[in-house]
């Protein structure tokens, strides 16, 4: 596995692949690998001739006061894990390589980027603008045929599908299921911040999603009832959600009835740690470690 720091070097390494028309897969990450990251790398390895994993803690998607400086970083460990999964290239640029002085362009997906996570009460509109901008840059740097993202960050996948469609980017977006700890907590690089007591309470998020799934599976179609069942699980653990929302799984718009395509999303702070999770309602589980079935489709 090659570790590459610059765009020029990356293009040089990938040039022979382009000549051979080899299928290139990209797994964008911020590092501190866990089972979620590894599942995406594994899938890219199974589907592509060349696997590029990017490792970049993107300053543009952090608000001031968020955990940019304290974000867990362990490149040596990540390097070993990516190599063990068979990645061909680890692209780990410095911030100055991605945002050289004078940088002033941003990509914004206006509606999708301002709801839920993008609400001022959440992480604000700069968060998904930062994500959209860095993903656009990574797509231009790597020119992947397929890019792999996790259902865990559901809204991010809608933003990316939208920008790929809106900007005519020739890349297929693949979304892998959320990988969970044995008790249901979605794996996240931020879980290391949790104290043992917080770790115990954090399971309320996936419990809430399961409670919502259960009432929807029993035939409840009133969003208020589904949300109430989920909310009860959060209340029982003393967890106040930043948002608990039921949206259309087609485009994250508001829904009046729960049908087979609804997405239940939650964000909450457990102590100082902000966690998010979500599940597709009415979709059978893809595997025991996942609440949501895998979804994948080419951009329309
Ligand atoms: P991050 O390093 O947190 O930016 O995540 C990199 C990629 O891994 C994103 O596409 C995430 O959605 C995905 N990811 C993060 N956590 C999980 C998880 N528990 N299961 C599946 N994918 C995940």
């Amino acid at each position: 596995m090659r570790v590459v720091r610059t765009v020029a070097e990356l293009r040089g390494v990938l040039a022979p692949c382009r000549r051979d028309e080899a299928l290139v897969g990209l797994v964008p990450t911020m590092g501190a690998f866990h089972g979620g990251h590894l599942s995406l790398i594994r899938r890219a390895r199974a589907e592509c001739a060349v696997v590029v994993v990017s490792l970049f803690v993107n300053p543009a998607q952090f608000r001031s006061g968020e955990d940019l400086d304290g974000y867990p970083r362990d490149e040596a460990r990540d390097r070993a894990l990516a190599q063990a999964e068979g990645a061909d290239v680890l692209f780990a640029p410095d911030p100055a390589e991605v945002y050289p002085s004078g940088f002033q362009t941003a990509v914004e997906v206006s509606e999708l980027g301002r709801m839920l996570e993008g609400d001022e009460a959440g992480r604000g509109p700069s968060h998904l603008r930062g994500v959209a901008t860095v993903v656009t840059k990574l797509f231009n740097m790597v020119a992947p045929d397929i890019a792999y993202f996790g259902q865990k960050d559901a809204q991010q996948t809608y933003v990316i599908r939208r920008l790929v469609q809106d900007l005519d980017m020739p890349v297929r977006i693949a979304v892998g299921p959320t990988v969970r700890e044995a008790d249901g907590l979605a794996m996240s690089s931020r879980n290391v911040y949790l104290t043992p007591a917080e770790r115990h309470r954090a399971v309320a998020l996936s419990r809430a999603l399961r409670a919502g799934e259960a009432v929807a599976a029993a035939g409840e179609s009133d969003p208020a009832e589904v949300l109430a069942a989920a909310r009860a699980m959060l209340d029982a653990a003393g967890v106040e959600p930043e948002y608990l929302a039921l949206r259309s799984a087609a485009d994250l718009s508001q829904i009046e009835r729960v049908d087979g395509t609804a997405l239940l999303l939650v964000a909450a702070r457990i102590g100082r740690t902000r966690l998010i999770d979500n599940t597709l309602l009415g979709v059978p589980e893809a595997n025991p470690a996942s609440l949501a079935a895998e979804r994948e489709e080419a951009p329309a």
Side-chain angles (χ1 to χ4, degrees):
M1 187 183 75
R2 290 276 298 268
V3 178
V4 169
R5 306 271 172 210
T6 68
V7 178
E9 204 183 344
L10 179 69
R11 293 213 166 110
V13 169
L14 294 177
C17 313
R18 308 241 177 272
R19 280 198 294 276
D20 296 347
E21 295 184 14
L23 205 64
V24 176
L26 169 66
V27 184
T29 82
M30 299 206 301
F33 291 164
H34 51 65
H37 298 110
L38 301 184
S39 72
L40 296 177
I41 299 172
R42 212 167 291 145
R43 173 149 170 218
R45 179 69 288 160
E47 295 178 355
C48 300
V50 182
V51 175
V52 180
V53 176
S54 64
L55 194 179
F56 180 62
V57 182
N58 176 31
Q61 70 190 68
F62 288 76
R63 253 183 172 181
S64 68
E66 286 189 339
D67 56 345
L68 175 62
D69 293 339
Y71 196 82
R73 291 170 170 86
D74 190 345
E75 188 184 308
R77 176 176 171 275
D78 289 345
R79 200 185 314 153
L81 288 169
Q83 177 149 18
E85 294 298 344
D88 299 297
V89 178
L90 184 72
F91 176 51
D94 286 335
E97 178 71 9
V98 179
Y99 301 113
S101 90
F103 186 90
Q104 53 186 285
T105 303
V107 178
E108 182 165 336
V109 180
S110 52
E111 266 181 61
L112 283 168
R114 288 175 178 268
M115 58 175 72
L116 302 166
E117 289 296 282
D119 192 279
E120 281 298 346
R123 300 189 68 184
S126 63
H127 170 59
L128 285 159
R129 184 162 64 227
V131 170
T133 302
V134 83
V135 168
T136 300
K137 286 176 65 75
L138 288 167
F139 286 180
N140 285 334
M141 293 166 177
V142 177
D145 297 286
I146 312 179
Y148 295 84
F149 296 89
Q151 174 67 23
K152 158 80 173 17
D153 297 277
Q155 190 178 353
Q156 171 171 285
T157 68
Y158 288 84
V159 165
I160 290 162
R161 283 186 197 282
R162 190 74 242 173
L163 84 86
V164 161
Q165 192 176 338
D166 289 355
L167 300 182
D168 308 295
M169 295 177 169
V171 56
R172 211 170 105 207
I173 304 302
V175 177
T178 300
V179 178
R180 298 176 179 282
E181 303 289 355
D183 64 1
L185 177 68
M187 290 188 185
S188 163
S189 303
R190 292 192 165 92
N191 290 350
V192 298
Y193 299 149
L194 299 168
T195 65
E198 290 169 349
R199 169 68 186 80
H200 193 68
R201 281 175 68 223
V203 80
L205 274 73
S206 57
R207 286 214 180 114
L209 298 179
R210 281 190 192 281
E213 281 175 350
V215 293
E220 181 58 69
S221 63
D222 180 353
E225 295 296 328
V226 175
L227 289 168
R231 181 65 194 239
M233 286 295 172
L234 298 176
D235 289 347
V239 173
E240 177 69 29
E242 213 168 72
Y243 61 77
L244 176 65
L246 200 48
R247 295 292 178 98
S248 160
D251 56 9
L252 294 187
S253 59
Q254 308 269 6
I255 52 172
E256 316 243 294
R257 280 188 67 247
V258 181
D259 57 22
T261 62
L263 189 66
L264 179 58
L265 309 102
V266 63
R269 264 177 213 287
I270 307 288
R272 295 163 66 94
T273 308
R274 188 172 181 283
L275 300 179
I276 59 171
D277 202 351
N278 71 90
T279 190
L280 282 164
L281 297 184
V283 180
E285 289 198 10
N287 64 59
S290 156
L291 292 182
E294 184 170 3
R295 64 194 171 92
E296 180 193 342
E297 65 211 42

